[in-house]
Amino acid sequence: MVDDKKIIDVTGAELKRPYIVRFIRADGAPIEEYFYEQRADADQHLNMFCDDDSGLYKRIAILNDETRTVERVLVFVDGKLRMDLCDHDVVRLRSGYRKPEEARYLFSVSNIHEEFGRCLITPINDGLPLPSSESVGLEMVDRVCSQKDMQ
């Protein structure tokens, strides 16, 4: 997910910038990355694009280089923001990707892969006749709430 890039200052010391804001362009242009020491700074940069309707981006993500995870991703469809998704958010499958009786099933999100547009979903309802976890496309889910909202 994240290349092993070291950022060296003028003294030769390695700078710790564990948060990366990664831009995946809709037109296939090269990926752009911006590095931050603090998660709040990365969030501030990402938040500038929550109202973006330029059509330039498929996804914009915050990656944590230390844990090798995507912590948050903005998903754009037809040039408009469709979803702001964080690791461990609660989602349900969108209609068209589930049977009507499965609308009540809720899942926890993990292992978001911003480049391939996929994530792992794990059922959080008890006793579901579903696999323990499944990899799905980000277009297949709708965000319900954050994990914190469920507590």
Side-chain angles (χ1 to χ4, degrees):
M1 291 216 304
V2 180
D3 295 335
D4 292 324
K5 299 176 185 171
K6 292 185 179 180
I7 302 170
I8 308 296
D9 72 7
V10 293
T11 67
E14 183 179 348
L15 295 175
K16 296 289 184 191
R17 295 200 175 155
Y19 296 100
I20 302 167
V21 177
R22 179 177 283 173
F23 291 79
I24 310 292
R25 297 271 304 252
D27 62 3
I31 291 171
E32 298 173 37
E33 294 180 336
Y34 299 87
F35 298 83
Y36 295 94
E37 289 181 41
Q38 304 295 321
R39 168 67 192 262
D41 295 332
D43 274 313
Q44 184 177 11
H45 188 175
L46 188 80
N47 288 340
M48 292 171 25
F49 294 88
C50 286
D51 294 325
D52 184 81
D53 61 359
S54 67
L56 287 175
Y57 306 105
K58 286 184 1 184
R59 289 176 292 283
I60 305 172
I62 295 177
L63 294 80
N64 183 324
D65 193 32
E66 290 178 345
T67 62
R68 314 289 277 182
T69 59
V70 175
E71 295 189 355
R72 182 177 170 202
V73 63
L74 300 180
V75 179
F76 295 88
V77 175
D78 298 326
K80 304 261 189 259
L81 179 65
R82 191 182 80 68
M83 184 171 42
D84 184 346
L85 186 67
C86 295
D87 200 30
H88 303 297
D89 275 356
V90 176
V91 298
R92 70 172 31 106
L93 289 173
R94 298 179 74 201
S95 61
Y97 296 102
R98 61 169 163 76
K99 298 174 187 162
E101 63 272 14
E102 295 173 341
R104 62 187 171 89
Y105 297 165
L106 298 176
F107 303 87
S108 177
V109 170
S110 63
N111 296 39
I112 300 168
H113 196 291
E114 81 294 348
E115 285 188 65
F116 295 123
R118 298 191 67 80
C119 65
L120 194 66
I121 58 172
T122 304
I124 58 176
N125 303 72
D126 288 332
L128 295 183
L130 300 171
S132 59
S133 293
E134 187 174 351
S135 176
V136 299
L138 293 174
E139 74 281 358
M140 297 173 63
V141 299
D142 279 327
R143 184 179 182 273
V144 175
C145 62
S146 75
Q147 188 87 5
K148 293 177 222 168
D149 295 339
M150 293 290 288
Q151 298 170 352

